[in-house]
């Protein structure tokens, strides 16, 4: 197929976003063959190819239309947006979807011994970070004068080395902070992965595939928590049982052959079904309860 007809998507080459990104694409039906140099992946069953790159390069690759789409952390995207703005340029990438992976937060963290009583405590301090633009915006909006110490990595050891008083860094479980005797004090940004696209208009074939991909991504995100539940119940208990089924709008109710007072209920629950729910259903008179994962869903 003509190269102009194939979508190019930028994905992190090796890092925290790589596996969840490829997993999402696989759930969307993409079969990928990797190129010899491992820098490209070719869609075998979709006109979509992948360029494997450093995550920091993804916003520019998409903005400059080298790639049509990109999967990147909101933290990286926002930092780049502010960096461009500081240079008088405008970010032109467009966020298409917020995704359910790569969750973390950009937070201020202080050494265990240091007191922190709100943003005022930051006044006159030296703050180490790899996100100087987001930190600068935060301080400006809070009307706080502090010194930003821009580092390219290993931010968490800066206070011990005497290079800074506190840090502004990404946190997920918090164990890195803890290991470095730092305490999370304030969150500046809640982050997650996002799908972005180029500002440039796409050829109709490409546009159509972007739409199809988005529909599949929505389907994947929806089924993640969804369960298909089947059970037998006394007809009289129907109102109570319907209330117990989490996030299901209209269950299918089928008469049970030979027992006029019992019915079969099938429902898609758009939330996880916990043991507690099953126990309540049983208490309400349900039997033969079966919970199945939903593989695909198209509204
Ligand atoms: O080589 P390349 O430049 O592509 O990779 P990278 O080293 O810049 O990025 P990588 O793979 O570390 O992270 C990619 C993206 O994952 C980030 O931009 C975030 O959007 C997201 N993400 C999610 C995280 C974390 N969670 C995270 N925990 N990025 C970094 N961390 C760091 C955190 O700062 C700490 O140092 O991981 C360490 C462990 O965190 P704790 O809190 O679980 O201890
Ligand atoms: Zn990076």
């Amino acid at each position: 197929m003509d190269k102009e007809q194939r979508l190019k998507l930028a994905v992190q080459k090796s890092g925290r976003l790589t596996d969840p990104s490829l997993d999402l694409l696989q759930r969307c039906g993409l079969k990928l063959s990797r190129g010899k140099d491992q820098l490209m992946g070719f869609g075998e069953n979709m006109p979509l190819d992948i360029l494997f790159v450093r995550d920091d390069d993804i916003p520019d690759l998409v903005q400059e239309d080298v790639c049509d789409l990109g999967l990147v952390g909101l933290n990286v995207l926002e930092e780049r947006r502010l960096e461009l703005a500081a240079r008088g340029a405008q970010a032109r990438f467009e966020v298409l979807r917020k995704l359910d992976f790569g969750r973390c937060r950009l937070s201020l963290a202080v050494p265990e011994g240091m007191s922190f009583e709100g943003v005022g405590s930051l006044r006159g301090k030296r703050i180490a970070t790899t996100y100087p633009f987001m930190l600068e915006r935060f301080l400006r909006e809070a009307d706080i004068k502090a010194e930003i110490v821009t580092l390219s990595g290993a931010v968490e050891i800066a206070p011990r080395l005497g290079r800074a008083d506190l840090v502004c860094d990404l946190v997920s479980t918090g164990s890195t902070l803890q290991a470095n005797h730092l305490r999370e004090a304030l969150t500046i940004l809640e982050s997650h992965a996002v799908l972005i696209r180029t500002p440039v208009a796409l050829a109709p074939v490409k546009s159509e595939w972007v739409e199809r991909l988005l529909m599949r991504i929505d389907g994947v995100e929806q089924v993640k928590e969804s369960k298909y539940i089947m059970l037998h119940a006394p007809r009289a208990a129907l109102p109570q049982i319907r209330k117990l089924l989490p996030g299901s709008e209209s269950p299918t109710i089928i008469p049970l052959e030979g027992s006029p007072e019992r019915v079969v209920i099938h429902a898609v629950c758009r939330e996880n079904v916990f043991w507690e729910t099953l126990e309540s259903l049983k208490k309400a008179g349900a039997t033969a309860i079966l919970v199945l994962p939903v593989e695909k869903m198209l509204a």
Side-chain angles (χ1 to χ4, degrees):
M1 197 185 277
D2 181 357
K3 195 163 160 281
E4 291 308 302
Q5 309 286 304
R6 296 182 68 84
L7 282 169
K8 204 181 275 176
L9 165 68
V11 168
Q12 190 186 23
K13 185 171 196 287
S14 114
R16 282 165 214 274
L17 300 181
T18 310
D19 286 347
S21 297
L22 293 177
D23 182 59
L24 172 67
L25 293 167
Q26 193 206 335
R27 284 169 194 269
C28 287
L30 179 70
K31 286 202 171 55
L32 207 62
S33 63
R34 292 287 279 258
K36 271 200 209 80
D37 52 7
Q38 302 286 309
L39 293 179
M40 292 278 296
F42 303 96
E44 292 173 1
N45 57 345
M46 283 187 205
L48 183 146
D49 299 327
I50 294 182
L51 197 64
F52 290 100
V53 294
R54 290 203 49 193
D55 67 344
D56 315 75
D57 295 335
I58 294 176
D60 283 1
L61 286 170
V62 172
Q63 154 128 337
E64 287 157 15
D65 200 35
V66 178
C67 291
D68 307 297
L69 302 168
L71 287 167
V72 67
L74 184 64
N75 50 310
V76 169
L77 195 70
E78 280 304 300
E79 184 70 6
R80 186 67 185 135
R81 190 194 296 279
L82 294 177
E83 189 178 353
L84 286 167
R87 290 206 213 128
Q90 208 196 338
R92 288 151 62 236
F93 29 73
E94 184 191 335
V95 175
L96 292 176
R97 283 296 183 279
K98 171 182 171 188
L99 301 165
D100 195 24
F101 63 87
R103 286 189 182 279
C104 58
R105 48 203 188 273
L106 183 65
S107 289
L108 289 158
V110 301
E112 272 161 11
M114 182 180 150
S115 75
F116 183 84
E117 281 131 24
V119 286
S121 301
L122 301 172
R123 204 160 276 130
K125 295 281 199 293
R126 292 169 306 154
I127 312 173
T129 191
T130 50
Y131 292 89
F133 291 94
M134 263 193 278
L135 179 57
E136 191 277 330
R137 179 180 61 179
F138 173 80
L139 294 171
R140 183 165 28 88
E141 285 176 358
D143 200 19
I144 298 283
K145 291 251 179 307
E147 187 190 334
I148 298 172
V149 180
T150 304
L151 303 178
S152 56
V155 167
E156 64 280 359
I157 59 170
R160 258 187 299 152
L161 298 178
R163 299 184 72 183
D165 301 305
L166 67 147
V167 305
C168 173
D169 200 7
L170 293 179
V171 187
S172 58
T173 62
S175 56
T176 301
L177 291 183
Q178 207 181 358
N180 289 282
H181 306 287
L182 296 165
R183 176 166 55 88
E184 193 173 356
L186 205 129
T187 296
I188 292 186
L189 178 88
E190 294 282 352
S191 187
H192 45 75
V194 288
L195 175 70
I196 56 172
R197 66 156 279 170
T198 164
V200 175
L202 296 174
V205 193
K206 284 184 166 189
S207 264
E208 196 186 304
W209 267 100
V210 171
E211 286 311 311
R212 285 177 79 171
L213 190 64
L214 288 177
M215 218 157 56
R216 292 182 187 190
I217 289 175
D218 293 342
V220 168
E221 298 275 319
Q222 263 190 15
V223 299
K224 248 193 214 153
E225 296 272 284
S226 296
K227 294 281 178 282
Y228 195 80
I229 182 163
M230 301 190 272
L231 51 88
H232 294 181
R235 197 178 279 280
L238 261 177
Q240 194 190 350
I241 286 189
R242 288 182 68 150
K243 264 191 235 145
L244 286 170
L245 293 173
S248 81
E249 285 109 50
S250 43
T252 307
I253 297 158
I254 313 158
L256 190 57
E257 187 76 13
S259 5
E261 71 290 353
R262 289 183 76 75
V263 289
V264 183
I265 303 175
H266 286 202
V268 174
C269 295
R270 287 170 191 259
E271 294 164 35
N272 222 329
V273 180
F274 296 103
W275 280 110
E276 287 74 9
T277 310
L278 299 194
E279 285 157 7
S280 307
L281 285 167
K282 199 164 158 51
K283 245 185 224 153
T287 54
I289 308 171
L290 212 57
V291 180
L292 306 171
V294 175
E295 193 181 285
K296 291 190 179 68
M297 191 147 68
L298 208 59

